Amino acid sequence: MSANTDRIQTIDSDRIEQAQQEGVTLIDVRPAFMYDEGHIPGAVNVPLVIPEDGSMIPDADIVSAVSAAGVQPDDDVVLYCQTGQHAGLAADTLAKEGFSDIELYTGSMNDWTAQGLPTEQ
């Protein structure tokens, strides 16, 4: 396992609920229209996916967007999307750029809603 992936911890919905109580920043990387349709309570939207083609914004822009959301490289942050794929790509980028405490909710919104957990708009 590389040093970058050592910085990324995969988590489940139980950890999301714990992170919410701890005040950890939850970042929904989906496009704004998806976030507006429903997201995990307390999550902030940092759209990192280009809706037209499903690709990610450039790496430097990912770091800038996450930093603009108030997350610094040493902060604990949780990333999620719809399926875990885009959040995983964002997590890899942040790890490569020196962020050290990244949590990836691999089940993301698909898992969250399948469990009937609360969402907000």
Side-chain angles (χ1 to χ4, degrees):
M1 195 177 277
S2 76
N4 286 348
T5 56
D6 289 345
R7 297 178 186 176
I8 302 168
Q9 179 180 356
T10 58
I11 61 170
D12 61 17
S13 60
D14 291 337
R15 172 61 186 140
I16 293 287
E17 293 171 328
Q18 180 184 18
Q20 289 169 315
Q21 294 170 3
E22 294 172 359
V24 174
T25 302
L26 304 177
I27 295 181
D28 183 326
V29 306
R30 300 176 302 158
F33 77 91
M34 293 178 81
Y35 174 85
D36 291 343
E37 290 173 356
H39 54 272
I40 296 173
V44 295
N45 188 217
V46 181
L48 304 179
V49 180
I50 300 168
E52 293 77 20
D53 65 8
S55 65
M56 297 290 288
I57 65 173
D59 287 359
D61 293 343
I62 290 172
V63 172
S64 295
V66 169
S67 296
V71 177
Q72 300 305 308
D74 292 333
D75 293 343
D76 189 3
V77 63
V78 172
L79 302 173
Y80 75 91
C81 59
Q82 191 66 38
T83 65
Q85 179 182 2
H86 288 108
L89 294 171
D92 288 343
T93 296
L94 293 178
K96 181 178 72 179
E97 295 298 325
F99 285 71
S100 60
D101 200 356
I102 305 159
E103 296 182 71
L104 172 62
Y105 179 22
T106 53
S108 288
M109 283 304 290
N110 284 351
D111 178 63
W112 189 263
T113 56
Q115 293 185 60
L117 295 169
T119 60
E120 65 183 16
Q121 295 180 332

